[in-house]
Amino acid sequence: MYLYNTLTRKIEQFNPLNPPLVTYYTCGPTVYDYTHIGHMRTYINNDLLKRTLNYLGYRVKHVMNITNVGHLTGDDDRGEDKLEKGAKTQGKTVWEVAKFFTNYFFKTMDQLNVTKPDVICRATDHIQPMIQLINQLKRKGFIYETKEAIYFDTSKFKNYGKLNPQKKQEKMTGAREEVYIDPQKKHPADFALWFKLVRRFKNHTMRWHSPWGDGFPGWHIECSAMSMKYLGETIDIHAGGVDHVAVHHQNEIAQSEATTDKPFVRYWFHNEFLLVEGKKMSKSLNNFYTLEDIEKRKIEPLALRYLFLQSHYRKLLNFTWEAAKAAQDAYRKLTEIVLSTKKQIQRQTLSLEKLDKVDQYRQRFIRAITDDLQIPQALAIMWETVKSNIPSSDKYDLIADFDQIFGLKLSEAKEQTIPKSVIKLAEERQSARQKKDFKKADQLRKKLRDLGYQIEDRENRFKIRPLAIDRRP
Ligand SMILES: [Zn+2]
Ligand SMILES: [Zn+2]
């Protein structure tokens, strides 16, 4: 397996510390708002990596955190706590907001067939390990205290910024543009490990006792504390969106490695962004699409998953409704083919030549997925397999095998039942045609279309096909 490692900026051979075990941490959601397509893409790509490793025979131990405290609206200590802000605008308690959006997140993941992590851990359940970690950093001289917070002193950590050296330069020399900064903070790159309940946080509802007075943890410390608690001081893979490279992951490395003097993560896996109709997602464009928005346009969750499989995780993906509809069509077509292949299955003895062909498809598939997760290529190989002349039983086996990674539930495809009323309308149309009443036939055809069915004429017979997409204007 070869993977791109953000740390070295190279594609490297993947060698876990203790094979077949792979320790895998994915940065989880901050649960103050709806899960949108940007998140969906990230977690689907994280899932593809996990499924690939499992497919290759590794045993992945997967941990994901749920951020329900300390994540400010600016990643670098600016602004207010996202949960507190969400609670204020929605007129709920922070705990209600966290619970609601945690459930929403997992419901979305479930519909996208994203496998559940082995351990799901909430920040608020791990305040003690975070305090312990801060204490260890204190003993080693990496922190300082101001009237408002406890900070990690980045000038004491010589490798600060190694994940993204360019960004480090910007941060080091960039003007202080923070809307609010603690006047006692020594350096813009320093980051809060613990916030005290003063000034902007005077009325913060989530609060705990600590050696530095009552307060709440900064965002970054939770991932170090939980990763170490469940997976050990050095782990194999840590995954997240590219938006985490510059600040969050930089800070995770600093506080973890300053504590343990060991590498925190061996392979950093980052997903590229997603654009919507060529533009960045933003409040003003109102394009933070949720799964409900997608389904309203008659696109199934798994068709969205299919869409995401078509682009490599390190490439910018431009989401358009046109592409989504095309993905829905392709996904529907694929499930139809799988279903008819399943019906044709007869176990036959294979000729050597065909056996060879079956092997070749599998070999090429494995080559694609192990080449820095070339899922789009793997998908193309599946389509080749689907269209090939290998016996249907082997074809079906291969598709089911490949789908362990794709996660499209292809072997669960079911035939759609067509309502009797629809069949009746189609028959009426058929008899109108036979009587050469084409006007009536066309009207009925349009009616069927409005109901979501397509009529395909085949000589004297007709076929009713549920429309994948609503094409009504
Ligand atoms: Zn992370
Ligand atoms: Zn994190």
Side-chain angles (χ1 to χ4, degrees), residues 2-6 9-12 41 45 240 242 268-273 308 311-317 371-376:
Y2 287 84
L3 271 182
Y4 181 83
N5 187 351
T6 313
R9 285 170 290 282
K10 274 193 213 104
I11 292 179
E12 293 176 26
R41 185 189 186 203
N45 278 328
V242 278
W268 285 93
F269 179 87
H270 288 108
N271 291 287
E272 240 325 319
F273 279 129
F308 291 157
S311 70
H312 190 248
Y313 75 93
R314 286 196 289 122
K315 290 234 170 76
L316 199 64
L317 177 117
D371 176 14
D372 191 28
L373 222 60
Q374 286 294 346
I375 301 293

PDB file of all heavy atoms in Angstrom, residues 2-6 9-12 41 45 240 242 268-273 308 311-317 371-376:
ATOM      1  N   TYR A   2       0.578   2.169  -0.903  1.00  0.00           N
ATOM      2  CA  TYR A   2       1.303   3.440  -0.957  1.00  0.00           C
ATOM      3  C   TYR A   2       0.340   4.578  -0.627  1.00  0.00           C
ATOM      4  O   TYR A   2      -0.783   4.604  -1.118  1.00  0.00           O
ATOM      5  CB  TYR A   2       1.915   3.656  -2.345  1.00  0.00           C
ATOM      6  CG  TYR A   2       3.105   2.758  -2.572  1.00  0.00           C
ATOM      7  CD1 TYR A   2       2.931   1.444  -3.003  1.00  0.00           C
ATOM      8  CD2 TYR A   2       4.395   3.208  -2.315  1.00  0.00           C
ATOM      9  CE1 TYR A   2       4.017   0.601  -3.178  1.00  0.00           C
ATOM     10  CE2 TYR A   2       5.488   2.378  -2.492  1.00  0.00           C
ATOM     11  CZ  TYR A   2       5.291   1.073  -2.917  1.00  0.00           C
ATOM     12  OH  TYR A   2       6.364   0.244  -3.085  1.00  0.00           O
ATOM     13  N   LEU A   3       0.801   5.488   0.216  1.00  0.00           N
ATOM     14  CA  LEU A   3      -0.052   6.594   0.653  1.00  0.00           C
ATOM     15  C   LEU A   3       0.725   7.902   0.656  1.00  0.00           C
ATOM     16  O   LEU A   3       1.915   7.924   1.000  1.00  0.00           O
ATOM     17  CB  LEU A   3      -0.523   6.353   2.088  1.00  0.00           C
ATOM     18  CG  LEU A   3      -1.794   5.571   2.362  1.00  0.00           C
ATOM     19  CD1 LEU A   3      -2.043   5.536   3.854  1.00  0.00           C
ATOM     20  CD2 LEU A   3      -2.993   6.176   1.634  1.00  0.00           C
ATOM     21  N   TYR A   4       0.016   8.968   0.311  1.00  0.00           N
ATOM     22  CA  TYR A   4       0.632  10.292   0.410  1.00  0.00           C
ATOM     23  C   TYR A   4       0.633  10.709   1.878  1.00  0.00           C
ATOM     24  O   TYR A   4      -0.384  10.626   2.558  1.00  0.00           O
ATOM     25  CB  TYR A   4      -0.156  11.307  -0.421  1.00  0.00           C
ATOM     26  CG  TYR A   4       0.455  12.694  -0.362  1.00  0.00           C
ATOM     27  CD1 TYR A   4       1.519  13.040  -1.184  1.00  0.00           C
ATOM     28  CD2 TYR A   4      -0.025  13.650   0.529  1.00  0.00           C
ATOM     29  CE1 TYR A   4       2.091  14.302  -1.130  1.00  0.00           C
ATOM     30  CE2 TYR A   4       0.545  14.925   0.598  1.00  0.00           C
ATOM     31  CZ  TYR A   4       1.606  15.234  -0.229  1.00  0.00           C
ATOM     32  OH  TYR A   4       2.171  16.481  -0.163  1.00  0.00           O
ATOM     33  N   ASN A   5       1.804  11.152   2.347  1.00  0.00           N
ATOM     34  CA  ASN A   5       1.934  11.557   3.740  1.00  0.00           C
ATOM     35  C   ASN A   5       2.178  13.065   3.786  1.00  0.00           C
ATOM     36  O   ASN A   5       3.198  13.544   3.280  1.00  0.00           O
ATOM     37  CB  ASN A   5       3.121  10.792   4.353  1.00  0.00           C
ATOM     38  CG  ASN A   5       3.238  11.008   5.840  1.00  0.00           C
ATOM     39  OD1 ASN A   5       2.553  11.856   6.427  1.00  0.00           O
ATOM     40  ND2 ASN A   5       4.111  10.230   6.472  1.00  0.00           N
ATOM     41  N   THR A   6       1.248  13.794   4.363  1.00  0.00           N
ATOM     42  CA  THR A   6       1.390  15.263   4.410  1.00  0.00           C
ATOM     43  C   THR A   6       2.674  15.678   5.119  1.00  0.00           C
ATOM     44  O   THR A   6       3.261  16.711   4.801  1.00  0.00           O
ATOM     45  CB  THR A   6       0.183  15.895   5.130  1.00  0.00           C
ATOM     46  OG1 THR A   6      -1.013  15.334   4.627  1.00  0.00           O
ATOM     47  CG2 THR A   6       0.128  17.403   4.928  1.00  0.00           C
ATOM     48  N   ARG A   9       5.335  15.114   2.523  1.00  0.00           N
ATOM     49  CA  ARG A   9       4.901  15.582   1.207  1.00  0.00           C
ATOM     50  C   ARG A   9       5.332  14.621   0.093  1.00  0.00           C
ATOM     51  O   ARG A   9       5.735  15.031  -0.977  1.00  0.00           O
ATOM     52  CB  ARG A   9       5.406  17.011   0.945  1.00  0.00           C
ATOM     53  CG  ARG A   9       4.623  18.071   1.726  1.00  0.00           C
ATOM     54  CD  ARG A   9       5.246  19.444   1.661  1.00  0.00           C
ATOM     55  NE  ARG A   9       6.490  19.487   2.407  1.00  0.00           N
ATOM     56  CZ  ARG A   9       6.571  19.585   3.729  1.00  0.00           C
ATOM     57  NH1 ARG A   9       5.473  19.641   4.453  1.00  0.00           N
ATOM     58  NH2 ARG A   9       7.728  19.618   4.351  1.00  0.00           N
ATOM     59  N   LYS A  10       5.278  13.332   0.417  1.00  0.00           N
ATOM     60  CA  LYS A  10       5.662  12.303  -0.547  1.00  0.00           C
ATOM     61  C   LYS A  10       4.692  11.133  -0.462  1.00  0.00           C
ATOM     62  O   LYS A  10       4.081  10.905   0.581  1.00  0.00           O
ATOM     63  CB  LYS A  10       7.048  11.748  -0.187  1.00  0.00           C
ATOM     64  CG  LYS A  10       8.206  12.524  -0.744  1.00  0.00           C
ATOM     65  CD  LYS A  10       9.474  11.682  -0.574  1.00  0.00           C
ATOM     66  CE  LYS A  10      10.682  12.545  -0.342  1.00  0.00           C
ATOM     67  NZ  LYS A  10      11.174  12.619   1.004  1.00  0.00           N
ATOM     68  N   ILE A  11       4.638  10.375  -1.561  1.00  0.00           N
ATOM     69  CA  ILE A  11       3.915   9.117  -1.503  1.00  0.00           C
ATOM     70  C   ILE A  11       4.883   8.085  -0.936  1.00  0.00           C
ATOM     71  O   ILE A  11       5.990   7.922  -1.438  1.00  0.00           O
ATOM     72  CB  ILE A  11       3.384   8.713  -2.895  1.00  0.00           C
ATOM     73  CG1 ILE A  11       2.284   9.699  -3.313  1.00  0.00           C
ATOM     74  CG2 ILE A  11       2.859   7.281  -2.875  1.00  0.00           C
ATOM     75  CD1 ILE A  11       1.681   9.443  -4.669  1.00  0.00           C
ATOM     76  N   GLU A  12       4.476   7.441   0.142  1.00  0.00           N
ATOM     77  CA  GLU A  12       5.365   6.499   0.824  1.00  0.00           C
ATOM     78  C   GLU A  12       4.728   5.127   0.904  1.00  0.00           C
ATOM     79  O   GLU A  12       3.508   4.994   0.898  1.00  0.00           O
ATOM     80  CB  GLU A  12       5.588   6.956   2.276  1.00  0.00           C
ATOM     81  CG  GLU A  12       6.348   8.229   2.433  1.00  0.00           C
ATOM     82  CD  GLU A  12       6.412   8.633   3.900  1.00  0.00           C
ATOM     83  OE1 GLU A  12       6.320   7.758   4.788  1.00  0.00           O
ATOM     84  OE2 GLU A  12       6.530   9.834   4.143  1.00  0.00           O
ATOM     85  N   ARG A  41     -17.955  14.324   2.237  1.00  0.00           N
ATOM     86  CA  ARG A  41     -16.838  13.888   1.398  1.00  0.00           C
ATOM     87  C   ARG A  41     -15.660  13.446   2.261  1.00  0.00           C
ATOM     88  O   ARG A  41     -15.052  12.405   2.022  1.00  0.00           O
ATOM     89  CB  ARG A  41     -16.403  15.015   0.448  1.00  0.00           C
ATOM     90  CG  ARG A  41     -15.332  14.510  -0.480  1.00  0.00           C
ATOM     91  CD  ARG A  41     -14.660  15.548  -1.325  1.00  0.00           C
ATOM     92  NE  ARG A  41     -13.764  14.862  -2.263  1.00  0.00           N
ATOM     93  CZ  ARG A  41     -12.717  15.423  -2.834  1.00  0.00           C
ATOM     94  NH1 ARG A  41     -12.428  16.675  -2.587  1.00  0.00           N
ATOM     95  NH2 ARG A  41     -11.945  14.722  -3.640  1.00  0.00           N
ATOM     96  N   ASN A  45     -14.183   9.595   2.349  1.00  0.00           N
ATOM     97  CA  ASN A  45     -12.792   9.285   1.995  1.00  0.00           C
ATOM     98  C   ASN A  45     -12.055   8.599   3.149  1.00  0.00           C
ATOM     99  O   ASN A  45     -11.277   7.669   2.929  1.00  0.00           O
ATOM    100  CB  ASN A  45     -12.048  10.554   1.558  1.00  0.00           C
ATOM    101  CG  ASN A  45     -12.321  10.887   0.106  1.00  0.00           C
ATOM    102  OD1 ASN A  45     -12.535   9.993  -0.716  1.00  0.00           O
ATOM    103  ND2 ASN A  45     -12.345  12.154  -0.224  1.00  0.00           N
ATOM    104  N   GLY A 240      -7.952  13.749   8.416  1.00  0.00           N
ATOM    105  CA  GLY A 240      -8.800  14.934   8.588  1.00  0.00           C
ATOM    106  C   GLY A 240      -8.839  15.737   7.300  1.00  0.00           C
ATOM    107  O   GLY A 240      -8.210  15.369   6.309  1.00  0.00           O
ATOM    108  N   VAL A 242      -8.088  19.045   4.814  1.00  0.00           N
ATOM    109  CA  VAL A 242      -6.903  19.902   4.634  1.00  0.00           C
ATOM    110  C   VAL A 242      -6.994  21.190   5.451  1.00  0.00           C
ATOM    111  O   VAL A 242      -5.973  21.805   5.745  1.00  0.00           O
ATOM    112  CB  VAL A 242      -6.642  20.322   3.164  1.00  0.00           C
ATOM    113  CG1 VAL A 242      -5.939  19.248   2.409  1.00  0.00           C
ATOM    114  CG2 VAL A 242      -7.906  20.770   2.467  1.00  0.00           C
ATOM    115  N   TRP A 268       0.096  11.174   7.946  1.00  0.00           N
ATOM    116  CA  TRP A 268      -1.011  12.152   7.994  1.00  0.00           C
ATOM    117  C   TRP A 268      -1.768  12.091   6.679  1.00  0.00           C
ATOM    118  O   TRP A 268      -1.186  12.270   5.608  1.00  0.00           O
ATOM    119  CB  TRP A 268      -0.474  13.566   8.221  1.00  0.00           C
ATOM    120  CG  TRP A 268      -0.033  13.808   9.631  1.00  0.00           C
ATOM    121  CD1 TRP A 268       1.226  13.655  10.130  1.00  0.00           C
ATOM    122  CD2 TRP A 268      -0.849  14.258  10.721  1.00  0.00           C
ATOM    123  NE1 TRP A 268       1.242  13.980  11.470  1.00  0.00           N
ATOM    124  CE2 TRP A 268      -0.013  14.360  11.861  1.00  0.00           C
ATOM    125  CE3 TRP A 268      -2.202  14.586  10.855  1.00  0.00           C
ATOM    126  CZ2 TRP A 268      -0.478  14.768  13.109  1.00  0.00           C
ATOM    127  CZ3 TRP A 268      -2.659  14.994  12.094  1.00  0.00           C
ATOM    128  CH2 TRP A 268      -1.822  15.086  13.206  1.00  0.00           C
ATOM    129  N   PHE A 269      -3.062  11.864   6.790  1.00  0.00           N
ATOM    130  CA  PHE A 269      -3.919  11.676   5.616  1.00  0.00           C
ATOM    131  C   PHE A 269      -4.917  12.838   5.548  1.00  0.00           C
ATOM    132  O   PHE A 269      -5.737  13.002   6.456  1.00  0.00           O
ATOM    133  CB  PHE A 269      -4.657  10.341   5.781  1.00  0.00           C
ATOM    134  CG  PHE A 269      -5.605   9.966   4.678  1.00  0.00           C
ATOM    135  CD1 PHE A 269      -5.160   9.277   3.551  1.00  0.00           C
ATOM    136  CD2 PHE A 269      -6.962  10.274   4.775  1.00  0.00           C
ATOM    137  CE1 PHE A 269      -6.050   8.915   2.546  1.00  0.00           C
ATOM    138  CE2 PHE A 269      -7.855   9.910   3.770  1.00  0.00           C
ATOM    139  CZ  PHE A 269      -7.389   9.225   2.660  1.00  0.00           C
ATOM    140  N   HIS A 270      -4.827  13.646   4.496  1.00  0.00           N
ATOM    141  CA  HIS A 270      -5.717  14.813   4.406  1.00  0.00           C
ATOM    142  C   HIS A 270      -6.563  14.838   3.139  1.00  0.00           C
ATOM    143  O   HIS A 270      -6.057  14.617   2.042  1.00  0.00           O
ATOM    144  CB  HIS A 270      -4.899  16.106   4.498  1.00  0.00           C
ATOM    145  CG  HIS A 270      -4.368  16.348   5.873  1.00  0.00           C
ATOM    146  ND1 HIS A 270      -3.044  16.224   6.195  1.00  0.00           N
ATOM    147  CD2 HIS A 270      -5.013  16.687   7.016  1.00  0.00           C
ATOM    148  CE1 HIS A 270      -2.891  16.480   7.495  1.00  0.00           C
ATOM    149  NE2 HIS A 270      -4.061  16.760   8.011  1.00  0.00           N
ATOM    150  N   ASN A 271      -7.831  15.152   3.327  1.00  0.00           N
ATOM    151  CA  ASN A 271      -8.785  15.256   2.222  1.00  0.00           C
ATOM    152  C   ASN A 271      -8.857  16.667   1.686  1.00  0.00           C
ATOM    153  O   ASN A 271      -8.918  17.606   2.465  1.00  0.00           O
ATOM    154  CB  ASN A 271     -10.194  14.935   2.725  1.00  0.00           C
ATOM    155  CG  ASN A 271     -10.334  13.497   3.083  1.00  0.00           C
ATOM    156  OD1 ASN A 271     -10.393  12.651   2.212  1.00  0.00           O
ATOM    157  ND2 ASN A 271     -10.370  13.215   4.370  1.00  0.00           N
ATOM    158  N   GLU A 272      -8.901  16.792   0.382  1.00  0.00           N
ATOM    159  CA  GLU A 272      -9.053  18.113  -0.238  1.00  0.00           C
ATOM    160  C   GLU A 272     -10.475  18.646  -0.025  1.00  0.00           C
ATOM    161  O   GLU A 272     -11.393  17.902   0.319  1.00  0.00           O
ATOM    162  CB  GLU A 272      -8.788  17.999  -1.739  1.00  0.00           C
ATOM    163  CG  GLU A 272      -7.661  18.820  -2.319  1.00  0.00           C
ATOM    164  CD  GLU A 272      -7.409  20.196  -1.715  1.00  0.00           C
ATOM    165  OE1 GLU A 272      -8.388  20.920  -1.426  1.00  0.00           O
ATOM    166  OE2 GLU A 272      -6.231  20.564  -1.562  1.00  0.00           O
ATOM    167  N   PHE A 273     -10.615  19.928  -0.304  1.00  0.00           N
ATOM    168  CA  PHE A 273     -11.903  20.606  -0.169  1.00  0.00           C
ATOM    169  C   PHE A 273     -12.901  20.222  -1.250  1.00  0.00           C
ATOM    170  O   PHE A 273     -12.559  19.574  -2.232  1.00  0.00           O
ATOM    171  CB  PHE A 273     -11.706  22.112  -0.295  1.00  0.00           C
ATOM    172  CG  PHE A 273     -11.226  22.758   0.948  1.00  0.00           C
ATOM    173  CD1 PHE A 273     -10.120  23.600   0.919  1.00  0.00           C
ATOM    174  CD2 PHE A 273     -11.876  22.538   2.145  1.00  0.00           C
ATOM    175  CE1 PHE A 273      -9.677  24.214   2.071  1.00  0.00           C
ATOM    176  CE2 PHE A 273     -11.435  23.157   3.300  1.00  0.00           C
ATOM    177  CZ  PHE A 273     -10.329  23.996   3.259  1.00  0.00           C
ATOM    178  N   PHE A 308     -18.782  10.831  -5.025  1.00  0.00           N
ATOM    179  CA  PHE A 308     -17.518  11.115  -4.348  1.00  0.00           C
ATOM    180  C   PHE A 308     -16.433  10.093  -4.712  1.00  0.00           C
ATOM    181  O   PHE A 308     -15.254  10.406  -4.696  1.00  0.00           O
ATOM    182  CB  PHE A 308     -17.713  11.177  -2.832  1.00  0.00           C
ATOM    183  CG  PHE A 308     -18.508  12.378  -2.379  1.00  0.00           C
ATOM    184  CD1 PHE A 308     -19.172  12.371  -1.167  1.00  0.00           C
ATOM    185  CD2 PHE A 308     -18.583  13.517  -3.168  1.00  0.00           C
ATOM    186  CE1 PHE A 308     -19.900  13.480  -0.746  1.00  0.00           C
ATOM    187  CE2 PHE A 308     -19.308  14.631  -2.759  1.00  0.00           C
ATOM    188  CZ  PHE A 308     -19.972  14.609  -1.545  1.00  0.00           C
ATOM    189  N   SER A 311     -13.853  10.996  -7.639  1.00  0.00           N
ATOM    190  CA  SER A 311     -12.699  11.905  -7.619  1.00  0.00           C
ATOM    191  C   SER A 311     -11.730  11.517  -6.501  1.00  0.00           C
ATOM    192  O   SER A 311     -12.132  11.101  -5.420  1.00  0.00           O
ATOM    193  CB  SER A 311     -13.150  13.350  -7.482  1.00  0.00           C
ATOM    194  OG  SER A 311     -13.666  13.553  -6.199  1.00  0.00           O
ATOM    195  N   HIS A 312     -10.463  11.667  -6.794  1.00  0.00           N
ATOM    196  CA  HIS A 312      -9.417  11.271  -5.863  1.00  0.00           C
ATOM    197  C   HIS A 312      -9.429  12.174  -4.633  1.00  0.00           C
ATOM    198  O   HIS A 312      -9.707  13.369  -4.747  1.00  0.00           O
ATOM    199  CB  HIS A 312      -8.057  11.346  -6.577  1.00  0.00           C
ATOM    200  CG  HIS A 312      -6.946  10.751  -5.795  1.00  0.00           C
ATOM    201  ND1 HIS A 312      -5.931  11.504  -5.259  1.00  0.00           N
ATOM    202  CD2 HIS A 312      -6.701   9.477  -5.425  1.00  0.00           C
ATOM    203  CE1 HIS A 312      -5.097  10.716  -4.603  1.00  0.00           C
ATOM    204  NE2 HIS A 312      -5.542   9.476  -4.699  1.00  0.00           N
ATOM    205  N   TYR A 313      -9.095  11.608  -3.482  1.00  0.00           N
ATOM    206  CA  TYR A 313      -9.244  12.377  -2.234  1.00  0.00           C
ATOM    207  C   TYR A 313      -8.339  13.595  -2.150  1.00  0.00           C
ATOM    208  O   TYR A 313      -8.607  14.520  -1.396  1.00  0.00           O
ATOM    209  CB  TYR A 313      -9.014  11.468  -1.023  1.00  0.00           C
ATOM    210  CG  TYR A 313      -7.563  11.099  -0.759  1.00  0.00           C
ATOM    211  CD1 TYR A 313      -6.776  11.853   0.116  1.00  0.00           C
ATOM    212  CD2 TYR A 313      -6.967  10.000  -1.385  1.00  0.00           C
ATOM    213  CE1 TYR A 313      -5.444  11.525   0.352  1.00  0.00           C
ATOM    214  CE2 TYR A 313      -5.648   9.667  -1.148  1.00  0.00           C
ATOM    215  CZ  TYR A 313      -4.887  10.428  -0.283  1.00  0.00           C
ATOM    216  OH  TYR A 313      -3.579  10.113  -0.045  1.00  0.00           O
ATOM    217  N   ARG A 314      -7.264  13.629  -2.961  1.00  0.00           N
ATOM    218  CA  ARG A 314      -6.371  14.796  -2.887  1.00  0.00           C
ATOM    219  C   ARG A 314      -6.673  15.833  -3.966  1.00  0.00           C
ATOM    220  O   ARG A 314      -5.934  16.772  -4.164  1.00  0.00           O
ATOM    221  CB  ARG A 314      -4.909  14.353  -2.971  1.00  0.00           C
ATOM    222  CG  ARG A 314      -4.438  13.691  -1.686  1.00  0.00           C
ATOM    223  CD  ARG A 314      -2.934  13.603  -1.586  1.00  0.00           C
ATOM    224  NE  ARG A 314      -2.364  12.651  -2.508  1.00  0.00           N
ATOM    225  CZ  ARG A 314      -1.456  12.971  -3.430  1.00  0.00           C
ATOM    226  NH1 ARG A 314      -1.037  14.215  -3.551  1.00  0.00           N
ATOM    227  NH2 ARG A 314      -0.968  12.042  -4.232  1.00  0.00           N
ATOM    228  N   LYS A 315      -7.777  15.610  -4.685  1.00  0.00           N
ATOM    229  CA  LYS A 315      -8.168  16.578  -5.723  1.00  0.00           C
ATOM    230  C   LYS A 315      -9.374  17.379  -5.245  1.00  0.00           C
ATOM    231  O   LYS A 315     -10.273  16.849  -4.594  1.00  0.00           O
ATOM    232  CB  LYS A 315      -8.561  15.824  -7.001  1.00  0.00           C
ATOM    233  CG  LYS A 315      -7.387  15.180  -7.705  1.00  0.00           C
ATOM    234  CD  LYS A 315      -7.332  15.609  -9.170  1.00  0.00           C
ATOM    235  CE  LYS A 315      -6.040  15.174  -9.825  1.00  0.00           C
ATOM    236  NZ  LYS A 315      -6.055  13.725 -10.130  1.00  0.00           N
ATOM    237  N   LEU A 316      -9.369  18.636  -5.618  1.00  0.00           N
ATOM    238  CA  LEU A 316     -10.509  19.492  -5.342  1.00  0.00           C
ATOM    239  C   LEU A 316     -11.711  18.937  -6.103  1.00  0.00           C
ATOM    240  O   LEU A 316     -11.583  18.591  -7.268  1.00  0.00           O
ATOM    241  CB  LEU A 316     -10.175  20.888  -5.854  1.00  0.00           C
ATOM    242  CG  LEU A 316     -10.978  22.061  -5.328  1.00  0.00           C
ATOM    243  CD1 LEU A 316     -10.736  22.222  -3.832  1.00  0.00           C
ATOM    244  CD2 LEU A 316     -10.548  23.323  -6.057  1.00  0.00           C
ATOM    245  N   LEU A 317     -12.846  18.821  -5.430  1.00  0.00           N
ATOM    246  CA  LEU A 317     -14.025  18.299  -6.108  1.00  0.00           C
ATOM    247  C   LEU A 317     -15.034  19.426  -6.280  1.00  0.00           C
ATOM    248  O   LEU A 317     -15.341  20.139  -5.333  1.00  0.00           O
ATOM    249  CB  LEU A 317     -14.636  17.159  -5.297  1.00  0.00           C
ATOM    250  CG  LEU A 317     -15.924  16.588  -5.878  1.00  0.00           C
ATOM    251  CD1 LEU A 317     -15.734  15.147  -6.265  1.00  0.00           C
ATOM    252  CD2 LEU A 317     -17.082  16.697  -4.926  1.00  0.00           C
ATOM    253  N   ASP A 371      -2.427   2.196  -4.801  1.00  0.00           N
ATOM    254  CA  ASP A 371      -1.654   3.305  -5.345  1.00  0.00           C
ATOM    255  C   ASP A 371      -2.244   4.615  -4.811  1.00  0.00           C
ATOM    256  O   ASP A 371      -2.961   5.323  -5.519  1.00  0.00           O
ATOM    257  CB  ASP A 371      -1.707   3.236  -6.879  1.00  0.00           C
ATOM    258  CG  ASP A 371      -1.005   4.422  -7.536  1.00  0.00           C
ATOM    259  OD1 ASP A 371      -0.264   5.140  -6.847  1.00  0.00           O
ATOM    260  OD2 ASP A 371      -1.231   4.628  -8.749  1.00  0.00           O
ATOM    261  N   ASP A 372      -1.985   4.914  -3.562  1.00  0.00           N
ATOM    262  CA  ASP A 372      -2.506   6.116  -2.912  1.00  0.00           C
ATOM    263  C   ASP A 372      -4.015   6.246  -3.114  1.00  0.00           C
ATOM    264  O   ASP A 372      -4.526   7.322  -3.396  1.00  0.00           O
ATOM    265  CB  ASP A 372      -1.775   7.366  -3.435  1.00  0.00           C
ATOM    266  CG  ASP A 372      -2.098   8.599  -2.596  1.00  0.00           C
ATOM    267  OD1 ASP A 372      -2.408   8.445  -1.399  1.00  0.00           O
ATOM    268  OD2 ASP A 372      -2.038   9.718  -3.143  1.00  0.00           O
ATOM    269  N   LEU A 373      -4.694   5.120  -2.974  1.00  0.00           N
ATOM    270  CA  LEU A 373      -6.157   5.093  -2.977  1.00  0.00           C
ATOM    271  C   LEU A 373      -6.758   5.667  -4.261  1.00  0.00           C
ATOM    272  O   LEU A 373      -7.527   6.617  -4.224  1.00  0.00           O
ATOM    273  CB  LEU A 373      -6.649   5.906  -1.766  1.00  0.00           C
ATOM    274  CG  LEU A 373      -7.801   5.359  -0.944  1.00  0.00           C
ATOM    275  CD1 LEU A 373      -7.449   4.005  -0.348  1.00  0.00           C
ATOM    276  CD2 LEU A 373      -8.152   6.314   0.182  1.00  0.00           C
ATOM    277  N   GLN A 374      -6.386   5.058  -5.397  1.00  0.00           N
ATOM    278  CA  GLN A 374      -6.949   5.504  -6.680  1.00  0.00           C
ATOM    279  C   GLN A 374      -8.342   4.896  -6.863  1.00  0.00           C
ATOM    280  O   GLN A 374      -8.552   4.012  -7.695  1.00  0.00           O
ATOM    281  CB  GLN A 374      -6.028   5.121  -7.838  1.00  0.00           C
ATOM    282  CG  GLN A 374      -4.770   5.959  -7.932  1.00  0.00           C
ATOM    283  CD  GLN A 374      -5.041   7.413  -8.276  1.00  0.00           C
ATOM    284  OE1 GLN A 374      -6.145   7.788  -8.696  1.00  0.00           O
ATOM    285  NE2 GLN A 374      -4.043   8.271  -8.083  1.00  0.00           N
ATOM    286  N   ILE A 375      -9.269   5.386  -6.100  1.00  0.00           N
ATOM    287  CA  ILE A 375     -10.632   4.862  -6.151  1.00  0.00           C
ATOM    288  C   ILE A 375     -11.301   5.134  -7.508  1.00  0.00           C
ATOM    289  O   ILE A 375     -11.991   4.251  -8.032  1.00  0.00           O
ATOM    290  CB  ILE A 375     -11.485   5.431  -4.985  1.00  0.00           C
ATOM    291  CG1 ILE A 375     -10.856   5.055  -3.627  1.00  0.00           C
ATOM    292  CG2 ILE A 375     -12.933   4.957  -5.064  1.00  0.00           C
ATOM    293  CD1 ILE A 375     -10.878   3.587  -3.274  1.00  0.00           C
ATOM    294  N   PRO A 376     -11.111   6.324  -8.114  1.00  0.00           N
ATOM    295  CA  PRO A 376     -11.740   6.538  -9.429  1.00  0.00           C
ATOM    296  C   PRO A 376     -11.292   5.491 -10.448  1.00  0.00           C
ATOM    297  O   PRO A 376     -12.097   4.995 -11.238  1.00  0.00           O
ATOM    298  CB  PRO A 376     -11.252   7.931  -9.843  1.00  0.00           C
ATOM    299  CG  PRO A 376     -10.881   8.606  -8.564  1.00  0.00           C
ATOM    300  CD  PRO A 376     -10.409   7.532  -7.642  1.00  0.00           C
TER     301      PRO A 376
END
